[in-house]
Amino acid sequence: MLYAQILINGLVLGGLYACIAVGFSLVWGVLNVINILHGTFVVLGSYIAYFCYVHLGIHPFLSIIVSGGILFVLGFLVQAGLINRVMGAPVLTTLVLTFGLELLLNNGILLAFSADYRTVQLANPLGSTIIGGLVFPLERVVATALALGLTVLLYVMLAKSRIGRAIVAVRMDAEAAALMGVNVKRIYAVTFGVGALMAGAAGSLLAIVFPISPLNSTEFLGIAFVVCVLGGLGSVAGAMVGGLALGVIESFGALFIGPEHGLTIAFTLLILLLIFRPTGIMGRRGYE
Amino acid sequence: MTRVLPVVLVIALVAALPLLGDNYLLRLGTMGAMYAVMALSWNVIGGFAGYPSFATAAFFGLGAYTGAILQGAGVYMPLAWVAACLAAALFAGLLGLAILHLKGHYFAIASLVVAEVLLEITTSWTSLTGGGMGLNLPILRISVDAQARLFFWAMLALASLTLAMNWIVANHRLGFGLRCIRQNEDASGMVGINTTLYKVIAFILSAVFVGGAGALYASWVFYIEPPDVFATLTSVKPIVMALLGGAGTVLGPVIGAVLFLVMEELVWRNLLEIHAAALGILIVILIFFLPGGVLGLFKRRRKPAAPSRPLASAEAGR
Amino acid sequence: MTAILSLDNVTQRFGGLTALDAVSLDIAPGEVVGLIGPNGAGKTTLVNMVSGVYKPSTGTITFDGKRIDGLKSYQIARLGVARTYQVVQPFPEMTVLENVMSPATFAAGNLGVEAAQEKALEALRFCGLDEQAQMRASELTLAGRKRLELAKSLAMDPKVLLLDEVNAGLNPAEIDLALDLIRRISAKGVTIVIIEHLMKVVMNLCSRIVVLHHGAKIAEGTPAEVTSDPHVIEAYLGNRYARKQAGEAKEGADG
């Protein structure tokens, strides 16, 4: 019974992790850029949800539209204006650049909102329900369902829509895509925007679950790293599997080793995976 | 030798800094030398071999804790420093064997996360490291001025050693092989380079003196705690310094370290609240306007002198 | 004949795909052997295996009486097996001279800088690249970069040289120059295995031709034998054409 409960807690957490990571994975896979900004994008999404709720009364479940939209525009501009200019440069260049932008943005948020932890106190919380002796915290369950729903939506968008096909084409072969009339630089910007959008939406959903602070960005970035390596780089399904797996591993790790070691377990796992199985547990790469 | 002499003279001049009797300057000098050690060390793996290592913080923290724990156990201070060098080198060797087969982003992430894991282990292993409370080092029984001089000279000596190491590597077959690996690793194997061995050696060289710098730092400030010595920024700053001066050159990282220190002191020490943002802006400017670093600036200026020559000789060769 | 290079029942699988299927091959010292076959036949895989990029799934590779399958590529290079790549692989930011010095430094014994430079210059002169010695490798023309690959290989003092489509993308005049160069390398006593699509080159150069198809060796012999082999015609032109030709031949014989 205890194990079943912990499994549920892990899955509920894991859905949110998948949503955090899927945008990061998309950007990495399509642009070959590790976006160090990603964690701060998530935090920004949380703040947008917070202010939407406190000042406008918009429930975080709805404000994913606002935060997603704002983050999409921000991401699009960052890529179109800055990162597009160093595409194709050595890995170190884009890494250091996004690290610099991360310092800038995170410092900006810190100045604007301070490091104090804020929480969204819902006026009418859904509470939790007990089914068959297992506790389901409803807010979290709905947040996770929304997170997984968004992830599936992204999957469908990539598979069915025109722009999605263009993104997949650029991922497989940017040169060939360019020859077929795809504006590669614009697709890069759109992809980065979509990555940021997913981060922002994830941030909104997380606002209900976690306290909000700029200091959380590193943890979110770490989660995105681990999920990507766990699930294999660059596939939506991989991010989903990786996210759920990490959630479960962390929950059980917290039980057996102690809750303060969650991220350590994740990072240790990450290194071991990188050493022994760099293609992820699914064992393949790509958006096929 | 004519190129070595000016460098030796500059080091000798810097070594005379204590004559000015200004302890603030000495503190800056010690910091500058420490930065130079880190930037020059990173240069071997990141500049010469082209592997984007973010492991500097891991080596620094490991060295700091090795030194501090040994000194706490009563080991003679210089011996503790040497032991810290060896510990970092050993760790880098084993880590290198495990992660140097990774390429690009995967290597970067693995090296970045190592420091995080060490940070967590250090924080948790309270009995050995004092955990989150940090670790105090034995106080030296000499005057404050004498301490300032001692640590300045020690750090400067370490920086000179690291510089010499870079110079030797650059002019040795190891440096040649590492440059080949950076430009085309597959082809490097085909021309007979033992790429695994060379990369591991480069990784060890990028760690050994950083470990020493960590131990020296611990002795110098008397107190260390995990987030201080394992900070991610400790991994990023040396990269910025090396890029600032010119990665893959011998003197570039030193120039970058000095410039970085000056900027840090002048610009953002006074603007503590936007310390991180200022570093971020520096990075953005660096990437867009100084891609070859300060030394690259001189190279580019020289280049237009003979632009048509290669084409002409290509025609002649046909 | 004692072979300098021999493959014995070598198979290479990638996941479910068998890229090379139980290929055996003996190459005598001083030979020039052509390796032909349609795209995807496994020619480059064979070169990659001999040069240590892949370890064969099963089978053994022997060079100069020593087993080399499973050795690292740098070890095989040091023993005296050089290769060129289909897509040229220079060190782009180095000068042409430095490029050629790298194998001289690392593969051809423990040479000091001056000896390595001397050896590199010799290889460059041999390949007609000495005038471009101080150019950056990335500034060379395609023909120049192909010759640079050859010069790099020569600076290793190879006993066996594996050439993977050194003529692809060259114009007829450049191909003639390259052919001449390969002949002169062969005349130095270097054993050559050459992958080639241009029949003109293979016919001109090779004493023996090996044909791969779908990872298996389907024919082996002199150029004349191989080109009249029905299996080879089938592999290249499809079996309907082969049957038709066989039928014509039969009719001719009957009539």
Coordinates of all heavy atoms in Angstrom, one line a residue, chain A residues 89-142:
Chain A
A89 N 28.4 27.3 -34.3 CA 29.6 27.5 -33.6 C 29.9 26.3 -32.7 O 29.0 25.5 -32.4 CB 29.6 28.8 -32.8
P90 N 31.1 26.2 -32.1 CA 31.4 25.0 -31.2 C 30.4 25.0 -30.1 O 29.9 26.1 -29.7 CB 32.8 25.3 -30.8 CG 33.4 26.1 -31.8 CD 32.3 26.9 -32.4
V91 N 30.2 23.8 -29.5 CA 29.3 23.6 -28.4 C 29.5 24.6 -27.3 O 28.6 25.2 -26.7 CB 29.5 22.2 -27.9 CG1 28.9 22.0 -26.5 CG2 28.9 21.2 -28.9
L92 N 30.8 24.9 -27.0 CA 31.2 25.8 -25.9 C 30.5 27.2 -26.1 O 30.1 27.8 -25.1 CB 32.7 25.9 -25.8 CG 33.2 26.6 -24.6 CD1 33.0 25.8 -23.4 CD2 34.7 26.9 -24.8
T93 N 30.5 27.6 -27.3 CA 30.0 29.0 -27.6 C 28.6 29.2 -27.2 O 28.2 30.1 -26.4 CB 30.2 29.4 -29.1 OG1 31.5 29.1 -29.4 CG2 29.8 30.8 -29.3
T94 N 27.7 28.2 -27.7 CA 26.3 28.4 -27.3 C 26.1 28.1 -25.8 O 25.2 28.7 -25.2 CB 25.4 27.4 -28.2 OG1 26.0 26.1 -28.1 CG2 25.4 27.9 -29.6
L95 N 26.8 27.2 -25.3 CA 26.7 26.9 -23.9 C 27.0 28.1 -23.0 O 26.2 28.5 -22.1 CB 27.7 25.8 -23.5 CG 27.1 24.4 -23.3 CD1 28.3 23.4 -23.0 CD2 26.1 24.3 -22.2
V96 N 28.1 28.7 -23.3 CA 28.5 29.9 -22.5 C 27.6 31.1 -22.8 O 27.2 31.8 -21.8 CB 30.0 30.3 -22.9 CG1 30.4 31.6 -22.2 CG2 30.9 29.2 -22.4
L97 N 27.1 31.2 -24.0 CA 26.2 32.3 -24.3 C 24.9 32.1 -23.5 O 24.4 33.1 -22.9 CB 25.9 32.4 -25.8 CG 24.8 33.4 -26.2 CD1 25.3 34.8 -25.8 CD2 24.5 33.3 -27.7
T98 N 24.3 30.9 -23.6 CA 23.0 30.8 -22.8 C 23.3 30.9 -21.3 O 22.4 31.3 -20.6 CB 22.3 29.5 -23.2 OG1 23.1 28.4 -22.8 CG2 21.9 29.4 -24.6
F99 N 24.5 30.5 -20.9 CA 24.8 30.7 -19.5 C 24.8 32.2 -19.1 O 24.3 32.6 -18.1 CB 26.1 30.0 -19.1 CG 26.3 29.8 -17.7 CD1 26.0 28.5 -17.1 CD2 26.7 30.8 -16.8 CE1 26.1 28.3 -15.8 CE2 26.8 30.6 -15.5 CZ 26.5 29.3 -14.9
G100 N 25.4 33.0 -20.0 CA 25.5 34.4 -19.8 C 24.1 35.0 -19.7 O 23.7 35.8 -18.8
L101 N 23.2 34.6 -20.7 CA 21.9 35.1 -20.7 C 21.1 34.7 -19.5 O 20.3 35.4 -18.9 CB 21.1 34.6 -22.0 CG 21.7 35.1 -23.3 CD1 21.1 34.4 -24.5 CD2 21.5 36.6 -23.4
E102 N 21.4 33.5 -19.0 CA 20.8 33.0 -17.8 C 21.1 33.8 -16.6 O 20.3 34.2 -15.8 CB 21.2 31.5 -17.6 CG 21.3 31.0 -16.1 CD 20.0 30.8 -15.4 OE1 19.0 30.8 -16.1 OE2 20.0 30.7 -14.2
L103 N 22.4 34.2 -16.5 CA 22.9 35.0 -15.4 C 22.1 36.4 -15.4 O 21.6 36.9 -14.4 CB 24.4 35.3 -15.5 CG 25.3 34.1 -15.1 CD1 26.7 34.5 -15.4 CD2 25.1 33.7 -13.7
L104 N 22.0 36.9 -16.6 CA 21.3 38.2 -16.9 C 19.8 38.1 -16.5 O 19.3 38.9 -15.7 CB 21.4 38.5 -18.3 CG 21.3 40.0 -18.8 CD1 22.3 40.8 -18.1 CD2 21.6 40.0 -20.3
L105 N 19.1 37.1 -17.0 CA 17.7 37.0 -16.8 C 17.4 36.7 -15.3 O 16.5 37.3 -14.7 CB 17.1 36.0 -17.7 CG 15.6 35.8 -17.7 CD1 14.9 37.1 -18.1 CD2 15.1 34.6 -18.5
N106 N 18.1 35.7 -14.8 CA 17.9 35.3 -13.4 C 18.2 36.5 -12.4 O 17.4 36.7 -11.5 CB 18.7 34.1 -13.1 CG 18.2 33.4 -11.9 OD1 18.5 33.7 -10.7 ND2 17.4 32.4 -12.1
N107 N 19.2 37.2 -12.7 CA 19.5 38.4 -11.9 C 18.4 39.4 -12.0 O 18.0 40.0 -11.0 CB 20.9 39.0 -12.3 CG 21.5 39.8 -11.2 OD1 22.7 40.1 -11.3 ND2 20.8 40.1 -10.2
G108 N 17.9 39.6 -13.2 CA 16.8 40.5 -13.4 C 15.6 40.1 -12.6 O 15.0 41.0 -11.9
I109 N 15.2 38.8 -12.6 CA 14.1 38.4 -11.8 C 14.3 38.6 -10.3 O 13.4 39.0 -9.6 CB 13.8 36.9 -12.2 CG1 13.4 36.7 -13.6 CG2 12.7 36.3 -11.2 CD1 13.1 35.3 -14.0
L110 N 15.6 38.3 -9.9 CA 15.9 38.4 -8.5 C 15.7 39.9 -8.1 O 15.2 40.1 -7.0 CB 17.4 38.0 -8.4 CG 17.8 37.6 -7.0 CD1 17.1 36.4 -6.5 CD2 19.3 37.3 -7.0
L111 N 16.2 40.8 -8.9 CA 16.0 42.2 -8.6 C 14.6 42.6 -8.5 O 14.1 43.3 -7.6 CB 16.8 43.1 -9.6 CG 18.3 43.2 -9.4 CD1 18.8 44.1 -10.5 CD2 18.6 43.8 -8.1
A112 N 13.8 42.1 -9.5 CA 12.4 42.5 -9.6 C 11.5 41.9 -8.5 O 10.7 42.6 -7.9 CB 11.9 42.1 -11.0
F113 N 11.8 40.6 -8.2 CA 10.8 39.9 -7.3 C 11.4 39.5 -6.0 O 10.8 38.9 -5.2 CB 10.2 38.7 -8.0 CG 9.6 39.0 -9.4 CD1 9.8 38.2 -10.5 CD2 8.8 40.1 -9.6 CE1 9.3 38.5 -11.7 CE2 8.3 40.4 -10.8 CZ 8.5 39.6 -11.9
S114 N 12.7 39.7 -5.8 CA 13.5 39.2 -4.7 C 13.5 37.7 -4.6 O 12.8 37.0 -5.3 CB 12.9 39.8 -3.3 OG 11.9 39.0 -2.8
A115 N 14.4 37.2 -3.7 CA 14.6 35.8 -3.6 C 13.6 35.1 -2.7 O 13.6 33.9 -2.5 CB 16.0 35.5 -3.1
D116 N 12.7 35.9 -2.1 CA 11.7 35.4 -1.1 C 10.9 34.3 -1.8 O 10.5 34.5 -3.0 CB 10.8 36.5 -0.6 CG 11.6 37.5 0.2 OD1 12.7 37.1 0.6 OD2 11.1 38.6 0.4
Y117 N 10.6 33.3 -1.1 CA 9.7 32.2 -1.7 C 8.2 32.7 -1.6 O 7.8 33.3 -0.6 CB 9.8 30.9 -0.9 CG 11.1 30.2 -1.3 CD1 12.3 30.4 -0.6 CD2 11.0 29.3 -2.4 CE1 13.4 29.7 -1.0 CE2 12.2 28.6 -2.7 CZ 13.4 28.8 -2.0 OH 14.5 28.2 -2.4
R118 N 7.5 32.6 -2.7 CA 6.1 33.0 -2.8 C 5.3 31.7 -3.1 O 5.8 30.8 -3.7 CB 5.8 34.0 -3.9 CG 6.5 35.3 -3.7 CD 6.4 36.1 -5.0 NE 7.4 37.2 -4.9 CZ 7.0 38.5 -5.0 NH1 5.7 38.8 -5.1 NH2 7.9 39.4 -5.0
T119 N 4.1 31.7 -2.6 CA 3.3 30.5 -2.9 C 1.9 31.0 -3.4 O 1.4 32.1 -3.0 CB 3.0 29.6 -1.7 OG1 2.7 30.4 -0.6 CG2 4.3 28.8 -1.4
V120 N 1.3 30.2 -4.2 CA 0.0 30.5 -4.7 C -1.0 29.9 -3.7 O -1.0 28.7 -3.6 CB -0.3 30.0 -6.1 CG1 -1.7 30.2 -6.5 CG2 0.6 30.7 -7.1
Q121 N -1.7 30.7 -2.9 CA -2.7 30.2 -2.0 C -4.1 30.2 -2.6 O -4.7 31.2 -2.7 CB -2.7 31.0 -0.7 CG -1.4 31.1 0.0 CD -1.1 29.8 0.8 OE1 -2.0 28.9 0.9 NE2 0.1 29.7 1.4
L122 N -4.5 29.0 -3.1 CA -5.8 29.0 -3.8 C -6.9 29.3 -2.9 O -7.0 28.8 -1.7 CB -6.0 27.7 -4.5 CG -5.0 27.3 -5.7 CD1 -5.3 25.9 -6.1 CD2 -5.2 28.3 -6.8
A123 N -7.9 30.1 -3.3 CA -9.1 30.5 -2.5 C -10.0 29.2 -2.3 O -10.5 29.0 -1.2 CB -9.8 31.6 -3.1
N124 N -10.2 28.5 -3.4 CA -11.0 27.3 -3.3 C -10.2 26.1 -3.7 O -10.4 25.6 -4.8 CB -12.2 27.4 -4.2 CG -13.0 28.7 -3.8 OD1 -13.4 28.9 -2.7 ND2 -13.1 29.6 -4.8
P125 N -9.4 25.5 -2.9 CA -8.6 24.4 -3.3 C -9.5 23.2 -3.5 O -10.5 23.0 -2.8 CB -7.6 24.2 -2.2 CG -8.2 24.9 -1.0 CD -9.0 26.0 -1.5
L126 N -9.0 22.3 -4.4 CA -9.8 21.1 -4.6 C -9.6 20.0 -3.5 O -10.4 19.1 -3.4 CB -9.4 20.5 -6.0 CG -9.7 21.3 -7.2 CD1 -9.0 20.7 -8.4 CD2 -11.2 21.5 -7.4
G127 N -8.5 20.2 -2.8 CA -8.3 19.2 -1.7 C -7.8 17.9 -2.3 O -7.2 17.8 -3.4
S128 N -8.1 16.8 -1.6 CA -7.7 15.5 -2.1 C -8.8 14.5 -1.9 O -9.7 14.7 -1.1 CB -6.4 15.1 -1.4 OG -6.5 15.2 0.0
T129 N -8.6 13.5 -2.6 CA -9.7 12.4 -2.5 C -9.0 11.1 -2.3 O -7.8 10.9 -2.6 CB -10.5 12.4 -3.8 OG1 -11.6 11.5 -3.6 CG2 -9.7 11.9 -5.0
I130 N -9.7 10.2 -1.6 CA -9.1 8.9 -1.3 C -9.9 7.8 -2.1 O -11.1 7.7 -2.0 CB -9.2 8.6 0.2 CG1 -8.4 9.6 0.9 CG2 -8.7 7.2 0.5 CD1 -8.5 9.6 2.4
I131 N -9.1 7.1 -2.9 CA -9.7 6.0 -3.7 C -9.0 4.7 -3.3 O -7.8 4.6 -3.5 CB -9.6 6.3 -5.2 CG1 -10.2 7.6 -5.6 CG2 -10.3 5.1 -6.0 CD1 -10.0 8.1 -7.0
G132 N -9.7 3.8 -2.8 CA -9.2 2.5 -2.5 C -8.0 2.7 -1.5 O -7.0 2.0 -1.6
G133 N -8.1 3.6 -0.6 CA -7.1 3.7 0.4 C -5.9 4.6 0.0 O -5.0 4.8 0.7
L134 N -5.9 5.0 -1.3 CA -4.8 5.8 -1.8 C -5.2 7.3 -1.9 O -6.3 7.6 -2.4 CB -4.4 5.3 -3.2 CG -3.8 3.9 -3.2 CD1 -3.6 3.4 -4.6 CD2 -2.5 3.8 -2.4
V135 N -4.3 8.2 -1.5 CA -4.6 9.6 -1.5 C -4.2 10.2 -2.8 O -3.1 10.0 -3.3 CB -3.8 10.3 -0.3 CG1 -4.2 11.8 -0.3 CG2 -4.1 9.6 1.0
F136 N -5.2 10.9 -3.4 CA -4.9 11.6 -4.6 C -5.0 13.1 -4.4 O -6.2 13.6 -4.2 CB -5.9 11.2 -5.8 CG -5.6 9.8 -6.3 CD1 -6.2 8.7 -5.6 CD2 -4.8 9.6 -7.4 CE1 -6.0 7.5 -6.1 CE2 -4.6 8.3 -7.9 CZ -5.2 7.3 -7.2
P137 N -3.9 13.9 -4.3 CA -4.0 15.3 -4.1 C -4.5 15.9 -5.5 O -3.8 15.9 -6.5 CB -2.6 15.8 -3.8 CG -1.7 14.7 -4.2 CD -2.5 13.4 -4.4
L138 N -5.8 16.4 -5.5 CA -6.4 16.7 -6.8 C -5.7 17.8 -7.6 O -5.6 17.7 -8.8 CB -7.9 17.0 -6.5 CG -8.7 15.8 -6.2 CD1 -10.2 16.2 -5.9 CD2 -8.7 14.8 -7.3
E139 N -5.3 18.9 -6.9 CA -4.6 19.9 -7.6 C -3.4 19.4 -8.4 O -3.2 19.7 -9.6 CB -4.1 21.0 -6.7 CG -4.9 22.3 -6.8 CD -6.1 22.3 -5.8 OE1 -6.0 21.6 -4.8 OE2 -7.1 23.0 -6.1
R140 N -2.7 18.6 -7.7 CA -1.5 18.0 -8.3 C -1.8 17.1 -9.5 O -1.2 17.1 -10.5 CB -0.6 17.2 -7.3 CG 0.1 18.1 -6.4 CD 1.0 17.3 -5.5 NE 1.8 18.2 -4.7 CZ 3.1 18.0 -4.4 NH1 3.7 16.9 -4.8 NH2 3.8 18.8 -3.7
V141 N -2.9 16.3 -9.2 CA -3.3 15.3 -10.3 C -3.7 16.1 -11.5 O -3.3 15.7 -12.6 CB -4.4 14.4 -9.7 CG1 -5.0 13.6 -10.9 CG2 -3.9 13.5 -8.6
V142 N -4.5 17.1 -11.3 CA -5.0 17.9 -12.5 C -3.8 18.6 -13.2 O -3.7 18.6 -14.4 CB -6.0 19.0 -12.1 CG1 -6.4 19.8 -13.2 CG2 -7.3 18.3 -11.5

